[in-house]
């Protein structure tokens, strides 16, 4: 079955860095775009970043542009989110999700990122 499993979250100080991973299985990975989406405590879902099937085209929300980098390794069926210069407002549960028909049909369970000194 289709699975997406996030990892790499944790506690990081403001200005620090963290790399999230999204390991996938159960589908032809290099046929799908992948999104990163986050949910801060008490807030709604916020789209963060998207990557196309070969990793050439990447997209970012204004809130993370210039600080986060999305990438993928099709051989490992994994997507990454490199988070640099993190801020307290980046504190959230981060989800990866498979893009399908303009939406997202499968999601991981998320990994918590806490930015605090």
């Amino acid at each position: 079955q289709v699975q997406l499993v996030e990892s790499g979250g944790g506690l990081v100080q403001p200005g620090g860095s963290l790399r999230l991973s999204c390991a996938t299985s159960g589908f032809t990975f290099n046929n799908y775009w992948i999104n990163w989406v986050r949910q801060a405590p008490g807030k709604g879902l916020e789209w963060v970043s998207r990557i196309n099937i070969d990793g050439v085209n990447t997209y970012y929300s204004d809130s993370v542009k210039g600080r986060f980098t999305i990438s993928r390794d099709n051989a490992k069926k994994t997507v990454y989110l490199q988070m640099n210069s993190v801020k307290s407002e980046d504190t959230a549960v981060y989800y990866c999700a498979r893009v399908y028909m303009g939406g997202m049909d499968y999601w991981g369970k998320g990994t918590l990122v806490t930015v605090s000194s």
Side-chain angles (χ1 to χ4, degrees):
Q1 70 276 26
V2 174
Q3 288 191 314
L4 297 95
V5 180
E6 303 92 341
S7 62
L11 177 64
V12 58
Q13 293 187 340
S17 297
L18 208 60
R19 189 177 82 155
L20 307 184
S21 298
C22 171
T24 73
S25 61
F27 64 100
T28 304
F29 177 72
N30 54 359
N31 283 354
Y32 290 88
W33 294 44
I34 301 292
N35 276 341
W36 282 100
V37 178
R38 67 185 181 185
Q39 185 168 31
K43 298 192 176 181
L45 293 169
E46 177 191 13
W47 171 76
V48 174
S49 184
R50 179 182 304 123
I51 191 165
N52 76 329
I53 59 174
D54 59 10
V56 171
N57 298 114
T58 58
Y59 307 87
Y60 301 93
S61 66
D62 287 343
S63 60
V64 307
K65 195 174 298 182
R67 299 187 298 119
F68 291 10
T69 302
I70 191 171
S71 62
R72 66 192 292 161
D73 184 332
N74 284 351
K76 294 183 178 180
K77 301 181 180 181
T78 300
V79 175
Y80 304 97
L81 187 69
Q82 178 67 42
M83 306 169 61
N84 296 332
S85 303
V86 297
K87 306 174 182 179
S88 58
E89 50 262 46
D90 294 322
T91 294
V93 177
Y94 284 73
Y95 301 92
C96 59
R98 190 177 79 168
V99 177
Y100 181 69
M101 298 289 286
M104 290 172 277
D105 60 349
Y106 286 93
W107 295 63
K109 294 183 178 181
T111 186
L112 176 63
V113 173
T114 303
V115 181
S116 176
S117 55

